[in-house]
Amino acid sequence: MGCLSSVPQEDLRLGRSSSVRESSFIEKMKKTGKNIVVFYGSQTGTGEEFANRLAKDAHRYGMRGMAADPEEFEMTDLSRLTEIENALAVFCMATYGEGDPTDNAQDFYDWLQETDIDLAGLKYAVFGLGNKTYEHFNAMGKYVDKRLEELGAERIFELGMGDDDGNLEEDFITWREQFWPAVCEHFGVEATGEDSSIRQYELVVHTDENMNKVYTGEMGRLKSYETQKPPFDAKNPFLANATVNRKLNEGGDRHFMHLELDITGSKIRYESGDHVAVYPANDAALVNKLGEILGADLETVISLNNLDEESNKKHPFPCPTTYRTALTYYLDITNPPRTNVLYELAQYATDSKEQENLRKMASSAQDGKALYLSWVVESRRNILAILEDIPSLRPPLDHLCELLPRLQARYYSIASSSKVHPNSIHVCAVLVEYETKTGRENKGVATNWLKNKQPSDNGHKSSVPMFVRKSQFRLPFKPSTPVIMIGPGTGIAPFMGFIQEREWLKQQGKDVGETVLYYGCRHEHEDFLYINELKRYHKEGVLTQLNVAFSRDQAHKVYVQHLLKNNKEMVWKLIHEDNAHIYVCGDARNMARDVQNIFYDIVEEYGKLDHAQAVDYIKKLMTKGRYSQDVWS
């Protein structure tokens, strides 16, 4: 699940009111001598990162680029880009959820749909970031690419489509490798031979900094964790205390947990089906090891200041802060680094063979890509593992901090109903830990951090910085409408909220329709989550059907889709005659697709339709909001 890319809100601290902020990217480009603007629609920071890399590349071709957040600028100015010589607009657009724009590109998307602006003369190119396991692969990139052309703009290079289910980094490099020659040809420029390995930020070490002015992990306003003020959102999270943290499963080698976060007094409102985002912290042991291997004093107070004084982004993360805080709260140190990080770090490897290998992995050569894929991606080597396995590579910590991506919020489907728990948000999660090909133990950042949020640690330790993100995953407006919920594993989460809400509606004397659940786990006596609650709901008639697939309790595997298949006729009646709403939550790669195929089969067989008509029937249900998915891969 994605998350908002957050930009430190420095304006207030630097004594600037935000109204002074230049909202015209044209004026800004003229003022700073830029001719390429790279807009990004980014939910987890990758789109923003790619945009920054393209803006930096421009330098190699004697052009000057800037990355821009469409939310901060007046996008009608696209029609004025022709005022700048050899100007080009590039769009790195991620698709979020069910084919939606990212939060920061929502207004741009709405504007594109309504406008009939004339964009003749505008030169553009689009790179989309998507994931093939989702129904609407790269919908946003495709839409922007098509719509700009309809409005009269000229596409100077084909739409690039990155697939995060495969190797997004490689898709981007391959596209970029052909994109720049196309730009050169179009504008009649050529590579200057200048290396684009230039620092974007300069290090300032503070020796006498007043510690009250130093960030300690806040996302936006300094001291926002000490004096909390609503409204709470991505830039101003609420510190919720964990009041319950219990293990849900009886046995097996995995650890499922149920947490309850107290939101009393926060004015935060949520609906069943919404997502809660939490900002985790990296494991202290990993942070210490990084400090050790680079021989750095992690308590040093630093600022990284943008060398481009006109940039809206003054710092890569809130500054001033200590190296320890940056590596703990602000930087992603556990994901395998992207190739640009390896490329920039290569200069610090003192062994020529190791330096060559790092550059090779960052190149677009076939063997380089293959090496990056096997040595970094498939081996799941994080930055620490890379430093351990390349002994001559000892970069300065400040440059590493400049290059690492931001640590992102993690999203979980809320497992409670606000009608029943107005002051508490429930989370259901499974601990992520696995052994890599190099024999290292890798641990999921957020789940390991959440596991340690024990209520007994009175006060500070168990607080979780969080905010709520609204979703389209909603119970039907009429309580009498039947619902079919399909959610194996932790996919049960939003349905716990739905069932709580249906029970509450019943207690209010409402006529509540059939409430059908298809749930799946490995073994009945090991990982049947919420077993007692679900059995009680079923016994009391809140759940009219409880269908559970235990995949490993018999010789052949049984999954939720098999149970759906066994109840085809009843499922068809609920959908076709009773207007039931269908909800699917959990793994997008296999489960959600298999479930959808079963629905096609049911519609084909009982609706007497051919396959194409059955697919169309389900698509129509989706359009009407009667088939909703909350899936992740």
Side-chain angles (χ1 to χ4, degrees), residues 444-465:
V445 176
T447 52
N448 278 276
W449 170 79
L450 282 171
K451 183 185 175 208
N452 293 319
K453 293 289 172 189
Q454 294 301 334
S456 54
D457 296 355
N458 53 54
H460 201 64
K461 282 262 306 186
S462 67
S463 64
V464 173

Side-chain angles (χ1 to χ4, degrees), residues 361-431:
M361 285 192 282
S363 74
S364 54
Q366 237 14 74
D367 57 345
K369 286 179 184 172
L371 184 61
Y372 174 72
L373 186 63
S374 65
W375 200 79
V376 179
V377 182
E378 288 166 357
S379 305
R380 298 295 303 168
R381 272 186 175 85
N382 59 28
I383 188 63
L384 180 64
I386 286 171
L387 293 170
E388 285 172 344
D389 294 346
I390 304 185
S392 88
L393 178 64
R394 294 295 176 262
L397 185 51
D398 66 289
H399 198 175
L400 185 62
C401 288
E402 170 178 326
L403 294 170
L404 290 172
R406 282 292 292 267
L407 181 59
Q408 298 294 334
R410 306 303 204 259
Y411 289 83
Y412 297 96
S413 305
I414 295 177
S416 52
S417 160
S418 57
K419 302 283 192 290
V420 184
H421 299 283
N423 291 316
S424 175
I425 284 179
H426 298 185
V427 174
C428 163
V430 59
L431 193 69

Side-chain angles (χ1 to χ4, degrees), residues 474-500:
R474 287 280 178 271
L475 274 170
F477 182 66
K478 283 170 39 190
S480 58
T481 305
V483 298
I484 302 171
M485 305 173 288
I486 301 147
T490 56
I492 185 71
F495 303 136
M496 292 308 291
F498 280 12
I499 299 163
Q500 284 174 14

Side-chain angles (χ1 to χ4, degrees), residues 247-252 256 524-529 531-532:
K247 187 176 178 188
L248 283 170
N249 49 321
E250 299 289 314
F256 291 88
E524 180 169 10
H525 300 296
E526 252 180 35
D527 55 351
F528 188 157
L529 309 182
I531 180 168
N532 299 330

Side-chain angles (χ1 to χ4, degrees), residues 46 61 110 125 141 220 242 322 342 344 391 403 426 450 562 569 611 629:
T46 313
Y61 304 93
D110 294 343
T322 64
L342 305 183
E344 302 260 348
L403 294 170
H426 298 185
L450 282 171
H562 300 129
E569 198 168 350
H611 185 69
Q629 305 194 77

